Amino acid sequence: MTFDYVVVGGGSAGCTLANRLSEDGRHSVLLLEAGPPDSNPWLHVPIGYGKTMFHPVLNWGFHTEPDPNMNGRRIYWPRGRTLGGSSAVNGLIQIRGQPEDFDGWAAQGAEGWGFRDVLPYFAKSLPSVEKIRQRSELVDAFIAGARDLGIPRNDDFNGATQEGAGYLHLTTRNGRRCSAAVAYLRPARGRANLRVETGARAGKILLEGRRARGVSYRKDGSEFSAGARKEVILAAGALQSPQLLQLSGIGPGALLQRHGIAVLADLPGVGANLQDHLALRIIYKCTRPVTTNDELRSVFAKARTGLRYLLFRSGPMAIGVMTGGLITKVLPESGSPDLQVFISTVSAEQRGAEPHRWPGFTLVYYPMRPTSRGRVEIASPDPQAAPAMHPNYLATGHDRRLMIEGARLVRRLAATPSFSPYVLEEYSPGPSVKTDEQILEAVRNAGSSGYHPCGTCRIGKDPGAVVDPQLRVHGVQGLRVVDASVMPSVVSGNTNAATVMIAEKGADLIRAAAH
């Protein structure tokens, strides 16, 4: 099989690329996705990410290597493994990031990726985004509590300013999840010049000298290869795009040699610069039965909630549990908001677990621009083996300070006149955790991923960069990376919107080169 373009990875970026590269009918496109089609019903119900968080088929279910900064814990990193990728299993939150994020990219060598350059590409994805219209007594109290702290109301975190508290924008349409597979791939599936292969796990980039000519992949226990007349495009995400490059001889020379892989291009930046948002969940018992816990407490309550969704596309099943947010600045030296807080109207021992039997909610916070950097490395020359992920959380004083100040802000919020009537007590980490050292220890023991890994194939022109501003891999022809791994630094907020933007702009760059 030979196509003009072979796209590896059917997630947020891959679905976007498959649509845009095939829409004019001039070029043939093959999209390879390791997971199954997005036919599981829970993938399309907004609250369904509780069912897919640990799904053995629909989720890669990665764990990091033991992180010494997190008391040696292995942190769970879910990643979507189906058409739509993580956009099919995430919390649906659509936050673009701050203008300064993208201007910062340009200043780091990503010319053409400043805010004015990328804004039109964010606008192209807006039809798949809805503002939450359902109101919650609890979320209203959260927003009012923020106002008590001097944090203004913000009805659009993607508008003129990020700062404030309000209801979120979600990737939903009429009470259904609108993943990248729904928004981008589904409209393109009937095109004769687009072929989609699911259950197809890429193993290696096929190279002739320093030119990419195709991809080998495994499907149904057999090995296949697909040729690319024009380009191979990696859209496998911040963990598996660098893994595939390294398996193919493109990456840090010493690492490749250690695994017996011939070095085609010694690029030390492949897998470096790994970033993620580190989050802490502060759980509260609620004084009133107004939480999602109460909607899911009994068989009768679950049936009523399900019927409400089936008949009216309303209730928690239609919007999930992360519905309100707060963005503000807690460090005086920060030039712009540096902390994000979400209210989840459910509480459980861990994300995706059975809700507590009592009314409860969770305030989740994370520093938006962490300065700690980790790395992703192949652990084996076997393409079926998971990569080794070293997040290196809390490596900088900046990140440690923000985690401490974030906890203090959340507790001040819980004590405000508007919000405190809903707070019975802090359940976890608990009121005994008071000092800076105790808070930091709670983060080390219970902090979790914000599920936003990025940066491992960053844009730039310096020796540590992996792709140029056109997303072409340095030193290799016919090969690009187009996904969250190209971000020089993580955006201030959730990463899915920026990933789709990267693919929209990347598609234009690829099409321009084909003329």
Side-chain angles (χ1 to χ4, degrees), residues 405-416:
E405 292 304 318
R408 297 203 181 284
L409 174 79
V410 167
R411 285 172 164 173
R412 289 199 301 274
L413 176 66
T416 56

Side-chain angles (χ1 to χ4, degrees), residues 31 49 102 146 161 182 196 226 262 265 290 335 355 360 375 379 395 404 424 475 501 509:
L31 178 66
Y49 56 86
F102 308 102
T161 179
V182 172
V196 178
V290 293
R375 67 188 191 281
I404 293 165
L424 180 64
M501 174 278 291
L509 294 171

Side-chain angles (χ1 to χ4, degrees), residues 91-340:
L92 305 105
I93 298 168
Q94 182 84 354
I95 290 182
R96 180 185 64 207
Q98 299 170 9
E100 294 89 344
D101 296 336
F102 308 102
D103 291 340
W105 289 7
Q108 294 176 66
E111 293 175 2
W113 291 87
F115 183 62
R116 289 187 177 180
D117 303 308
V118 303
L119 190 58
Y121 295 103
F122 278 113
K124 293 180 79 170
S125 65
L126 286 179
S128 63
V129 180
E130 286 182 330
K131 176 75 172 175
I132 292 176
R133 293 181 175 86
Q134 290 181 213
R135 289 297 176 260
S136 157
E137 180 181 338
L138 187 60
V139 177
D140 285 342
F142 168 86
I143 295 168
R147 186 185 60 226
D148 292 345
L149 294 177
I151 299 168
R153 178 156 189 137
N154 189 345
D155 289 317
D156 185 3
F157 293 110
N158 300 310
T161 179
Q162 264 201 331
E163 185 155 19
Y167 284 87
L168 300 167
H169 284 83
L170 304 179
T171 48
T172 57
R173 281 184 192 160
N174 304 317
R176 302 267 290 172
R177 177 188 289 273
C178 189
S179 69
V182 172
Y184 284 93
L185 190 60
R186 189 175 290 176
R189 288 299 291 268
R191 297 173 186 164
N193 61 325
L194 173 62
R195 178 166 176 165
V196 178
E197 290 276 354
T198 54
R201 184 166 183 176
K204 198 173 184 181
I205 303 160
L206 302 176
L207 297 141
E208 285 183 5
R210 283 180 168 258
R211 182 172 186 86
R213 292 296 186 185
V215 174
S216 66
Y217 63 96
R218 189 172 184 82
K219 181 179 170 74
D220 298 329
S222 298
E223 294 290 335
F224 298 88
S225 64
R229 281 184 288 266
K230 291 185 177 293
E231 296 190 32
V232 172
I233 305 158
L234 302 189
L239 307 180
Q240 288 155 297
S241 283
Q243 179 190 23
L244 194 53
L245 287 172
Q246 291 171 4
L247 289 169
S248 307
I250 303 165
L255 170 69
L256 306 187
Q257 290 170 345
R258 196 160 67 239
H259 290 286
I261 297 172
V263 180
L264 172 80
D266 188 354
L267 290 180
V270 175
N273 194 47
L274 173 63
Q275 299 157 62
D276 184 32
H277 288 133
L278 175 62
L280 183 66
R281 300 161 61 244
I282 301 184
I283 299 173
Y284 290 92
K285 289 186 175 182
C286 189
T287 57
R288 307 176 192 184
V290 293
T291 72
T292 305
N293 291 18
D294 304 291
E295 304 240 22
L296 303 174
R297 183 178 296 173
S298 65
V299 173
F300 173 76
K302 288 179 180 178
R304 183 180 60 197
T305 300
L307 193 62
R308 183 181 173 190
Y309 179 71
L310 288 172
L311 294 178
F312 305 110
R313 286 287 187 266
S314 65
M317 290 185 70
I319 55 174
V321 296
M322 301 284 257
T323 52
L326 179 161
I327 293 175
T328 191
K329 184 172 80 167
V330 294
L331 294 186
E333 66 266 29
S334 294
S336 60
D338 53 21
L339 192 84
Q340 187 164 349

Side-chain angles (χ1 to χ4, degrees), residues 484-499:
S485 64
V486 306
M487 297 183 189
S489 51
V490 66
V491 294
S492 302
N494 307 64
T495 49
N496 188 67
T499 301

Side-chain angles (χ1 to χ4, degrees), residues 55-116:
H55 197 285
V57 175
L58 302 175
N59 208 306
W60 287 98
F62 291 127
H63 283 84
T64 69
E65 296 302 296
D67 191 329
N69 299 332
M70 301 293 285
N71 288 341
R73 289 193 300 131
R74 292 165 59 91
I75 312 297
Y76 183 62
W77 279 12
R79 297 279 87 198
R81 189 177 179 272
T82 182
L83 290 175
S86 292
S87 75
V89 301
N90 66 8
L92 305 105
I93 298 168
Q94 182 84 354
I95 290 182
R96 180 185 64 207
Q98 299 170 9
E100 294 89 344
D101 296 336
F102 308 102
D103 291 340
W105 289 7
Q108 294 176 66
E111 293 175 2
W113 291 87
F115 183 62
R116 289 187 177 180

